[in-house]
Amino acid sequence: MASLVWALLLVTLMFPALVQSMVRHYNFSVVMTNFTKLCSTKSIVTVNGKFPGPTLYAREGDNVLVRVTNHVQYNVTIHWHGVRQLRTGWYDGPAYVTQCPIQPGQNYLYNFTLTGQRGTLLWHAHISWLRATIHGAIVILPKKGVSYPFPKPDKEKTIVLGEWWKADVEAVINQATQTGLAPNVSDAHTINGHPGPVPNCTSHGFTLHVESGKTYLLRIVNAAVNDELFFKIAGHNLTIVEVDASYTKPFKTDTIFIGPGQTTNALLTADKAIGKYLITISPFMDTVVAVNNVTGFAFLRYKGTVAFSPTTLTNVPAINATAVTNAFQDNLRSLNSKIYPANVPETVDHSLLFAMAVGANPCATCVNGTRVVAGLNNISFVLPSTAILQAHYYNISGVFTDDFPATPPIPYNYTGNLTTANVGTLNGTRVYRVAYNSTVQVVLQGTTLIAPENHPTHLHGFNFFAVGKGLGNFDPNKDPQNFNLVDPVERNTIGVPTAGWTAIRFRADNPVHTTWGLKMAFVVGNGKGPKESLIPPPTDLPKC
Ligand SMILES: *[C@@H]1O[C@H](CO)[C@@H](O)[C@H](O)[C@H]1NC(C)=O
Ligand SMILES: *[C@@H]1O[C@H](CO)[C@@H](O)[C@H](O)[C@H]1NC(C)=O
Ligand SMILES: *[C@@H]1O[C@H](CO)[C@@H](O)[C@H](O)[C@H]1NC(C)=O
Ligand SMILES: *[C@@H]1O[C@H](CO)[C@@H](O)[C@H](O)[C@H]1NC(C)=O
Ligand SMILES: *[C@@H]1O[C@H](CO)[C@@H](O)[C@H](O)[C@H]1NC(C)=O
Ligand SMILES: *[C@@H]1O[C@H](CO)[C@@H](O)[C@H](O)[C@H]1NC(C)=O
Ligand SMILES: *[C@@H]1O[C@H](CO)[C@@H](O)[C@H](O)[C@H]1NC(C)=O
Ligand SMILES: *[C@@H]1O[C@H](CO)[C@@H](O)[C@H](O)[C@H]1NC(C)=O
Ligand SMILES: *[C@@H]1O[C@H](CO)[C@@H](O)[C@H](O)[C@H]1NC(C)=O
Ligand SMILES: *[C@@H]1O[C@H](CO)[C@@H](O)[C@H](O)[C@H]1NC(C)=O
Ligand SMILES: *[C@@H]1O[C@H](CO)[C@@H](O)[C@H](O)[C@H]1NC(C)=O
Ligand SMILES: *[C@@H]1O[C@H](CO)[C@@H](O)[C@H](O)[C@H]1NC(C)=O
């Protein structure tokens, strides 16, 4: 008996992961909720009546089961943003790509395992604009007995940033579709559901309570629909240690730059005078594109702060502070340690160039006779009525075609002086196929068509390495010479500079995963063995 206990103890010590991984159960009830924090009561779609929604807690290696039950009039799906979903593409969430929606009155059990990831991610609705209010954080702790590669914080705090529309968001996007114009910008930026002190409102904004001398791990999530944000805490520096659930080389900064869908973990040491300090979130936009420019406020409050003590203020970066975004991004490097190496693909099997443009399609009923559409390589992605993954698995033809072009069909000066004559955009549900375990390089080329801006881009099912970026047109001869193939940051979402480009690399090691989000889909083939193949579809997979 004693030897058995001893043996078990030994196994536990040697292989903590094998013994300790757990199944985590969550119930997500999608309901209409009367929300009053912003003074006027508004009925919004939430998970479990919360805005932001509940935080999912798990450890690396855990199996997560989330039963999502839809009690609202809208179709719903949930995307686990950044979760790799190795072989479990059925649970990734984008409507009509990996699953049909969960219709009113129905439910679906999402079942995935958190493999090889630790840090902060987010979940959000992935259909229409419901993600504006259906979102929350995912906290993945290291395996039991494994420590962080940085000094252990005394406490951890989750901070979810969002965008708030006074109007019903579904009405906002429907109106944009009908008029062919860009959707109305949001009315406020929120920090854990609060915009800050609003005149004549009982909400005083979110307060981050700290104790002098302690260190906090802030898990910051940008769940905004569109806006790239600057995050600052007056009088305090932050030490960045992780982004998108990948550890980074630590660096100090007074401003965090974070795009929609991105996450950043930062250490905050409460080592300043006892008192109240302003926290701000403000937008970044370095072109003429309209954006909500209202700063969101919260407070950092030390224990022992006396009532009515003044708040230490901070200056927010200019809305067009491109230099601040560059400084932040250039400091981001993979930790690239022995335990957490950066496995950057050194060779490339598929070299792709995607020109990202806002184009205009003819539309007889629209205000200008055209509809503003986002296009990649002149193709505007059309959502099919059957999920692409199902069509692929069951060999259903007519849902998508295999002809997404590797480069723009008609090359042009992407960052030149372009006129609307250039902007005719095709449409279609086109995918690009890659073999299992092949390596892919994508150069995301920003363009100056109609509405040039910094586009945040997300890849489903893969992390990628951001190996290079630059202004103007990507030069395939010169630019790769400056790529960082040693310790580039590893992430799942990245901004492409205005009138510039970003190069990413990844290995297609997630079988039959339709990765989507660049507004195109990759279809990765199965590998050789069962461990390299997509699992069969679950029996409760929603039907269209
Ligand atoms: C929300 O408010 C409306 C109107 O005041 C009311 O009819 C409804 O019952 C409320 N719903 C909930 C879930 O409280
Ligand atoms: C979750 O999926 C795994 C296989 O990927 C399966 O073994 C397990 O039974 C599933 N869990 C539930 C509760 O369906
Ligand atoms: C706040 O309430 C006061 C008194 O009711 C009113 O005079 C004032 O206009 C209100 N301010 C705003 C911004 O609504
Ligand atoms: C933040 O760090 C910078 C660079 O290390 C330093 O110059 C500055 O004084 C620091 N600010 C605070 C508030 O500690
Ligand atoms: C914010 O935008 C509004 C509307 O576009 C504009 O009138 C206002 O001047 C802007 N405010 C700042 C501080 O830039
Ligand atoms: C930012 O905008 C201001 C006001 O429009 C302008 O004066 C300034 O030159 C711009 N800065 C940059 C870096 O573009
Ligand atoms: C479309 O129409 C709006 C409103 O009439 C106008 O402000 C805008 O400049 C037009 N845009 C284009 C691209 O024609
Ligand atoms: C592209 O356009 C820019 C801006 O007009 C110009 O500076 C550049 O020389 C052009 N490049 C080529 C290859 O024509
Ligand atoms: C861009 O093209 C337009 C029309 O072709 C022309 O009027 C304008 O001067 C050009 N701008 C630059 C900076 O070359
Ligand atoms: C695709 O484009 C054509 C021509 O511009 C248009 O008639 C058609 O309605 C578009 N289809 C969809 C699904 O947007
Ligand atoms: C994928 O390719 C890499 C590099 O060629 C190789 O080391 C690895 O074993 C391959 N993995 C699988 C599962 O085939
Ligand atoms: C919900 O999804 C189903 C299946 O795709 C579709 O037939 C139905 O029209 C959708 N309902 C709404 C309200 O969009």
Side-chain angles (χ1 to χ4, degrees):
M1 190 63 194
S3 65
L4 182 66
V5 169
W6 178 239
L8 271 176
L9 186 68
L10 204 65
V11 168
T12 312
L13 288 173
M14 285 167 62
F15 305 104
L18 291 181
V19 184
Q20 306 285 356
S21 73
M22 282 178 53
V23 181
R24 311 266 178 172
H25 293 261
Y26 283 89
N27 278 312
F28 275 22
S29 195
V30 181
V31 290
M32 294 307 294
T33 303
N34 285 341
F35 188 77
T36 53
K37 263 184 216 164
L38 294 170
C39 292
S40 62
T41 301
K42 184 175 142 188
S43 199
I44 59 171
V45 193
T46 65
V47 166
N48 300 351
K50 292 185 170 155
F51 174 71
T55 300
L56 283 188
Y57 290 94
R59 285 186 186 279
E60 180 186 344
D62 285 355
N63 177 218
V64 180
L65 299 174
V66 188
R67 170 141 339 256
V68 176
T69 307
N70 183 0
H71 294 290
V72 302
Q73 64 188 14
Y74 306 108
N75 283 338
V76 172
T77 68
I78 306 282
H79 170 50
W80 318 94
H81 188 112
V83 171
R84 296 250 1 242
Q85 299 288 6
L86 284 169
R87 306 176 49 223
T88 54
W90 307 110
Y91 303 115
D92 192 40
Y96 302 108
V97 177
T98 60
Q99 70 165 100
C100 294
I102 308 167
Q103 295 184 38
Q106 296 185 348
N107 68 76
Y108 180 41
L109 181 71
Y110 288 89
N111 171 0
F112 52 87
T113 296
L114 298 164
T115 308
Q117 294 181 290
R118 65 309 284 172
T120 308
L121 294 171
L122 70 154
W123 57 266
H124 59 80
H126 205 304
I127 183 164
S128 189
W129 267 27
L130 291 180
R131 70 183 189 280
T133 56
I134 303 190
H135 61 242
I138 305 176
V139 171
I140 312 172
L141 299 167
K143 289 178 182 174
K144 215 162 188 157
V146 176
S147 46
Y148 292 124
F150 46 81
K152 190 180 186 302
D154 295 295
K155 278 197 177 136
E156 304 196 357
K157 307 265 187 179
T158 301
I159 298 180
V160 179
L161 315 180
E163 267 180 282
W164 180 264
W165 276 260
K166 285 181 187 156
D168 171 5
V169 285
E170 290 300 282
V172 171
I173 187 64
N174 286 341
Q175 188 197 14
T177 308
Q178 272 162 26
T179 59
L181 302 173
N184 291 344
V185 301
S186 55
D187 299 297
H189 290 116
T190 56
I191 303 177
N192 282 347
H194 298 262
V198 173
N200 291 1
C201 207
T202 49
S203 165
H204 299 297
F206 171 71
T207 299
L208 182 64
H209 293 277
V210 296
E211 278 179 55
S212 214
K214 295 210 159 141
T215 296
Y216 298 80
L217 180 66
L218 306 185
R219 297 175 175 272
I220 304 166
V221 173
N222 185 348
V225 175
N226 291 317
D227 292 352
E228 296 179 291
L229 298 166
F230 294 115
F231 175 96
K232 286 188 82 169
I233 302 181
H236 291 74
N237 277 331
L238 297 158
T239 303
I240 309 302
V241 291
E242 179 240 297
V243 295
D244 295 4
S246 298
Y247 292 130
T248 62
K249 292 198 171 73
F251 73 93
K252 230 199 271 177
T253 181
D254 64 358
T255 308
I256 288 175
F257 174 58
I258 184 167
Q262 292 186 328
T263 56
T264 303
N265 279 9
L267 294 170
L268 164 75
T269 301
D271 58 0
K272 297 292 184 283
I274 285 178
K276 243 165 74 177
Y277 298 82
L278 198 64
I279 300 175
T280 59
I281 54 167
S282 60
F284 166 65
M285 176 54 67
D286 61 358
T287 73
V288 295
V289 171
V291 65
N292 163 14
N293 59 14
V294 181
T295 299
F297 295 108
F299 300 95
L300 176 77
R301 190 188 179 104
Y302 279 69
K303 192 174 176 185
T305 300
V306 294
F308 308 114
S309 74
T311 301
T312 303
L313 303 179
T314 181
N315 57 326
V316 303
I319 193 163
N320 57 358
T322 311
V324 177
T325 68
N326 282 336
F328 183 83
Q329 293 175 115
D330 292 347
N331 274 323
L332 286 175
R333 297 265 193 251
S334 280
L335 182 59
N336 193 24
S337 65
K338 209 164 184 181
I339 305 174
Y340 305 103
N343 294 316
V344 190
E346 282 171 13
T347 57
V348 169
D349 300 321
H350 298 265
S351 182
L352 314 176
L353 178 72
F354 291 172
M356 318 171 74
V358 173
N361 276 352
C363 163
T365 55
C366 293
V367 173
N368 294 327
T370 54
R371 171 176 290 135
V372 173
V373 292
L376 264 188
N377 285 356
N378 287 55
I379 291 157
S380 176
F381 191 77
V382 176
L383 276 183
S385 50
T386 304
I388 295 177
L389 193 57
Q390 266 164 302
H392 173 83
Y393 192 85
Y394 292 115
N395 244 323
I396 304 168
S397 62
V399 175
F400 63 87
T401 54
D402 268 354
D403 55 352
F404 189 87
T407 56
I410 307 165
Y412 54 96
N413 184 348
Y414 307 108
T415 54
N417 181 17
L418 301 169
T419 66
T420 47
N422 303 81
V423 301
T425 306
L426 304 171
N427 55 26
T429 306
R430 307 191 188 193
V431 309
Y432 187 89
R433 272 185 203 271
V434 296
Y436 177 73
N437 207 34
S438 55
T439 54
V440 183
Q441 171 177 299
V442 185
V443 174
L444 300 159
Q445 174 70 60
T447 66
T448 39
L449 283 174
I450 300 186
E453 61 170 304
N454 185 311
H455 287 280
T457 302
H458 169 52
L459 201 54
H460 286 237
F462 295 95
N463 280 349
F464 51 75
F465 292 96
V467 295
K469 74 174 166 58
L471 290 178
N473 299 334
F474 173 71
D475 182 335
N477 298 318
K478 267 201 229 137
D479 289 324
Q481 293 168 19
N482 298 322
F483 281 179
N484 174 3
L485 301 180
V486 178
D487 64 353
V489 67
E490 180 179 352
R491 41 190 343 166
N492 62 55
T493 306
I494 196 150
V496 178
T498 298
W501 54 270
T502 294
I504 62 173
R505 284 193 186 182
F506 63 96
R507 182 175 291 279
D509 57 358
N510 196 355
V512 192
H513 197 105
T514 48
T515 64
W516 180 82
L518 300 164
K519 291 286 178 118
M520 60 77 68
F522 283 104
V523 170
V524 179
N526 268 327
K528 292 200 188 77
K531 287 245 146 86
E532 297 169 12
S533 304
L534 178 71
I535 62 165
T539 52
D540 62 343
L541 187 68
K543 293 183 177 57
C544 283

